[in-house]
Amino acid sequence: MKILYESDLAGSKYHGMAYRIYQFSKEFTDRGHEVMVVAASYSHTRRINPNVTGRLTNENIDGIQYKWIKTPKYSGNGVGRVLHMLLYNFYLWFYAKKIAREFKPNVVIASGVTPLDFIGCRKIAKKAGAKIFLEVGDLWPLSPIELGGYSPRHPFIKIMQWAENYSYRHTDNVISLLPCVKKYMMEHGLDSDKFNYIPNGIITSEWDASKELSGKMQGVFNKLKKENKFIIGYAGAHGQANDLNTIIDVVAGLKSQDVVLILIGTGQEKEKLVSYTLKHGIDNVYFFPAQEKELIPACLKQMDVLYIGLQKQPLFRFGISPNKMFDYMMASKPIIQAIDAGNNLVQEANCGLYAEPENVEAIARAILKLKMMSTQEREELGRNGHEYVLQNHAYNKLTERYLDLIKQV
């Protein structure tokens, strides 16, 4: 079978985020299917963007055919990014016939950030006589309305709303990363029997091939463990939505309890967070840069408890599927989830504690409750998470579900 997988932000293990498309594509090719990934040449989520030589550039990565559509660079979420989206989707539509003729897919999966991607992907599917799937990770235009404060009457939002309704009406099936969104999609035109939930996952073999820590970071961990510090860990983006100010304030107030915080990653808010700790004399918070993927397992296993939090947002009522959570579960560590969402992963897996987001006292209580547990009790929570993620979020199992669905359609 020939599968075309499209997303403007698609990356690879060499380029960085977004990993989901690369990981499913690699699983598909390992099972004998031919895969083409179509993506924009520039994405703010990647560590490294590809070198392109023309409007369309072909590249083979681990047996996957990549077709990069040349797009301009941008920064932030302003006019530059909107122009990038519009140009990318125009070129996707413009080159649809060429892409369909060259690859001749049996299935097209539209997985772009916005539903505009579906328009070009449907054209590819029609030209190739292929089935088309819509994969939804973010709800547009609801995301910019609820998170960005856009008016539903804004021309850009109206275009997105038309595209969303169009895509739900014309897709052969929906793959949702959000578990609680079926009713919303049906209200916008989706047939109820076309909804499917396939979350993000984990590649278990990557944990077997992980690297060991060394250098300054390992030295800090050794020092903290020697001093019997209780280490709270976070690895991921340092953005406004991640609400890291709250966990910094929590840990600053728990210094006398020998609690410390390790923050690993980068993002738009990192410099502000570092300045905040210096200004307020907070010396039990340690910052480290983003680490290569192979080092993440070794980093997480050094912690006593792992933390994930997000600002309170009504959009999370549709559920969450954060890759970070599944990495945490694979590390076999207890987790504090400070996220209000339609699903509660730590409760489902019985692998930690929920705490109200943006609530310093609630998060502090959760940390101290875990600290007062015995090592054996914390290890049991960690094992629960590990077993849960292997059963429900291993990519080899998710891939079988995906392929079974494609074959049915």
Side-chain angles (χ1 to χ4, degrees), residues 293-311:
K293 196 171 177 64
E294 292 79 8
L295 282 173
I296 294 300
C299 293
L300 298 182
K301 288 178 180 179
Q302 302 274 350
M303 318 292 190
D304 293 301
V305 169
L306 296 169
Y307 172 84
I308 180 170
L310 290 171
Q311 292 177 330

Side-chain angles (χ1 to χ4, degrees), residues 1-3 24-35 63 103 106 399-400 403 407:
M1 182 162 51
K2 301 180 79 171
I3 302 170
F24 270 124
S25 296
K26 187 68 170 64
E27 294 283 342
F28 293 156
T29 57
D30 288 347
R31 287 161 173 76
H33 302 287
E34 192 174 345
V35 181
F103 187 61
N106 305 110
T399 300
E400 294 302 327
L403 290 173
K407 291 171 184 175

Side-chain angles (χ1 to χ4, degrees), residues 5 25 36 43 48 54 92 104 148 152 219 246 249 267 302 306 327 407:
Y5 210 155
S25 296
M36 172 181 281
S43 165
I48 302 170
L92 178 65
K104 299 182 178 65
T246 297
D249 286 341
Q302 302 274 350
L306 296 169
D327 284 336
K407 291 171 184 175

